[in-house]
Amino acid sequence: MPTQKRAFLLLPFGVALFFHTRRAERSHGPLETRTNMDDSLNFDTLAVRSGTARSDFNEHSEAIFLTSSFVFASAADAAEKFKNSEDNYTYSRFTNPTVTMFQDRLAALEGGEACMATASGMAAIMSVVMCALQAGDHLVSSQALFGSTLGMFSQIFTKFGITTTFVDPTDLDAWKNAVRSETKMFFLETPSNPLTEVSDIEAISKIAKAANALFVVDNCFCSPALQQPLKLGADVVMHSATKFLDGQGRVLGGALVGSKQFIMEKVFPFVRSAGPTLSAFNAWVLLKGMETLSLRVEKQSANALEIARWLETHPAVNRVFYPGLESHPQHALAMRQQKAGGAILSFELKGDTPEQMRANAWRVIDSTKICSITGNLGDTRTTITHPATTTHGRVTPEARAAAGISEGLIRLAVGLENAADIRGDLERGLAG
Ligand SMILES: Cc1ncc(COP(=O)(O)O)c(C=O)c1O
């Protein structure tokens, strides 16, 4: 038989041996997601090293296991592995080795016991609510949320009997007063999108604990490089991995990080059955993204601070929203809770009427040649958005007004370009 043909026929055995050996190598199952790295290592080391598991081929970079299912030695082997699908690789809607590596790495970076990856940030929000709440339960949530999250809470979950009370996230009494006997979850985004309001995670966690409510924090704006909510008392961290974890605007992804018990007993059974699973390819892209996370976020924060300071002095600008500025109402809290102000800032343009404010905002956006006009954020490339007509376009005008999102508001997610070049790009439109 020609060598090439023989090699082809032997391939399935090689693949089976590959997975078998790899599984045997691990001391724990796919969902016992603690990294084999020492947790006391520094963040930057964990970002490039944790979660990695090598096969017999000893590949240096993590492998992409693009397979929908896994083969078994026998019917009995299949039966056994399906019985414990959280501890074995059987089908990629349940578990997948590349996704496990992503989960292990993110759990290490957030300081959590376990992580469950999802197909997007919204899939993570859907999963945490569907697996932890049921009809009749009540949620207390910040009113300053990403538009789709707001829509899920106010329009989708209500169809299943889960109601939400929205509160000013910076008002601790409002969180306390919103609690009812049916309250089962608190949900917070800090800093908020797009106005960068910063809320006190530690103080809210105490109120949630007293109410016996699960405290979920969307950490997408900061990423674990700047803020680790679990260490401040949150029960679950939620991510849109689409943002800083990828960092280059390539793939969608999401995740929930928390205790092993919560992730394995509540989240995993839901994701395994409902299927909002992260693809192996996307998990691999995210693994690569996380390796440069802290370098990127540090530089993007420095760029954002420089641009925010400049905008604050600009005659065409009404107000700048950026936690790194001394003028930000929660600046002191932000500096305590976060390592830096972050990469995202918003600014409001002057104008006598909402129509004029919108026209001014659109002029600035349309005059840019470097910034990308797009809804994503956390990219190495600066992105510019008009929240009132895009990310928050489906929110009712009343809710937008209550949240302080005016027609003159522009959100800038600052990238890695030279800050002076971004300033020049904005100045073109600001100069009128
Ligand atoms: C703060 C925040 N949370 C959640 C999401 C949803 O994430 P995804 O687009 O990955 O579903 C976004 C998306 O922009 C976001 O900005």
Side-chain angles (χ1 to χ4, degrees):
M1 195 186 295
T3 319
Q4 250 179 340
K5 194 166 175 194
R6 213 169 35 222
F8 182 73
L9 288 176
L10 283 174
L11 191 63
F13 298 106
V15 170
L17 180 69
F18 179 37
F19 286 123
H20 173 79
T21 317
R22 187 174 180 285
R23 285 289 308 117
E25 229 181 37
R26 297 178 67 92
S27 58
H28 47 63
L31 267 193
E32 287 178 43
T33 55
R34 285 316 289 158
T35 159
N36 49 4
M37 299 295 293
D38 173 358
D39 279 352
S40 66
L41 287 168
N42 288 298
F43 186 91
D44 293 348
T45 308
L46 293 172
V48 295
R49 294 281 177 186
S50 62
T52 304
R54 295 203 176 103
S55 75
D56 251 12
F57 292 122
N58 254 336
E59 64 280 356
H60 190 205
S61 177
E62 295 78 9
I64 311 178
F65 291 86
L66 276 181
T67 177
S68 45
S69 67
F70 301 83
V71 291
F72 308 103
S74 63
D77 182 39
E80 189 54 36
K81 288 188 172 135
F82 263 85
K83 232 190 275 165
N84 298 305
S85 59
E86 69 271 31
D87 290 331
N88 293 290
Y89 294 113
T90 52
Y91 189 65
S92 283
R93 171 155 45 81
F94 308 170
T95 50
N96 173 284
T98 315
V99 175
T100 303
M101 288 190 258
F102 164 74
Q103 291 172 163
D104 284 358
R105 184 166 297 172
L106 185 56
L109 295 187
E110 285 290 1
E113 285 177 359
C115 169
M116 187 78 222
T118 55
S120 67
M122 294 317 300
I125 292 176
M126 175 192 69
S127 300
V128 75
V129 171
M130 298 298 267
C131 76
L133 304 190
Q134 59 186 36
D137 286 347
H138 173 249
L139 221 156
V140 182
S141 170
S142 160
Q143 69 195 11
L145 292 178
F146 172 59
S148 296
T149 314
L150 213 51
M152 289 287 276
F153 289 173
S154 57
Q155 286 155 32
I156 309 283
F157 293 132
T158 46
K159 289 203 282 187
F160 303 96
I162 297 165
T163 52
T164 303
T165 301
F166 294 101
V167 296
D168 173 347
T170 61
D171 180 351
L172 296 179
D173 285 337
W175 288 94
K176 239 180 259 170
N177 295 337
V179 172
R180 302 185 201 155
S181 53
E182 317 87 77
T183 303
K184 294 282 158 49
M185 186 183 284
F186 274 28
F187 191 95
L188 173 69
E189 200 184 298
T190 181
S192 67
N193 184 5
L195 291 175
T196 72
E197 289 159 274
V198 176
S199 306
D200 191 332
I201 297 175
E202 200 166 4
I204 297 170
S205 84
K206 287 181 184 148
I207 303 168
K209 272 192 185 63
N212 235 345
L214 188 81
F215 184 26
V216 182
V217 176
D218 181 335
N219 198 25
C220 150
F221 259 42
C222 270
S223 90
L226 294 188
Q227 173 175 278
Q228 292 166 311
L230 297 176
K231 294 187 178 159
L232 298 168
D235 298 305
V236 178
V237 163
M238 172 258 140
H239 269 288
S240 165
T242 318
K243 307 296 181 308
F244 289 96
L245 300 184
D246 173 1
Q248 292 172 64
R250 298 163 294 189
V251 298
L252 289 174
L256 296 166
V257 186
S259 70
K260 195 148 101 180
Q261 190 187 20
F262 180 71
I263 297 294
M264 290 176 75
E265 291 176 15
K266 296 271 192 191
V267 185
F268 176 65
F270 175 80
V271 173
R272 178 183 56 193
S273 302
T277 319
L278 182 68
S279 84
F281 179 78
N282 288 8
W284 180 83
V285 172
L286 295 168
L287 275 164
K288 297 293 106 188
M290 282 191 280
E291 291 178 9
T292 55
L293 177 66
S294 65
L295 274 179
R296 280 186 280 111
V297 174
E298 194 182 313
K299 170 75 170 137
Q300 285 168 277
S301 294
N303 275 356
L305 182 61
E306 183 180 329
I307 293 164
R309 285 203 203 289
W310 167 73
L311 283 169
E312 217 174 19
T313 62
H314 201 288
V317 174
N318 228 0
R319 211 174 143 190
V320 182
F321 303 86
Y322 182 65
L325 288 177
E326 291 74 12
S327 59
H328 188 282
Q330 297 95 34
H331 174 68
L333 170 64
M335 293 302 99
R336 225 177 36 241
Q337 194 165 268
Q338 305 171 198
K339 277 201 190 133
I344 296 139
L345 63 94
S346 290
F347 57 103
E348 188 182 67
L349 297 179
K350 289 181 180 161
D352 293 336
T353 61
E355 291 74 25
Q356 205 180 75
M357 288 171 93
R358 181 192 286 198
N360 289 344
W362 281 22
R363 187 190 63 245
V364 170
I365 293 170
D366 290 343
S367 302
T368 57
K369 292 183 178 161
I370 298 173
C371 300
S372 310
I373 307 173
T374 180
N376 198 30
L377 57 91
D379 200 298
T380 53
R381 293 157 293 191
T382 299
T383 60
I384 191 163
T385 317
H386 185 243
T389 50
T390 59
T391 53
H392 291 69
R394 291 216 189 95
V395 177
T396 61
E398 297 74 36
R400 255 201 322 270
I405 300 166
S406 76
E407 293 288 337
L409 194 76
I410 291 177
R411 188 190 73 192
L412 202 67
V414 180
L416 293 178
E417 303 95 339
N418 184 288
D421 290 339
I422 298 302
R423 283 196 337 239
D425 206 33
L426 296 172
E427 178 57 26
R428 207 174 299 116
L430 284 172

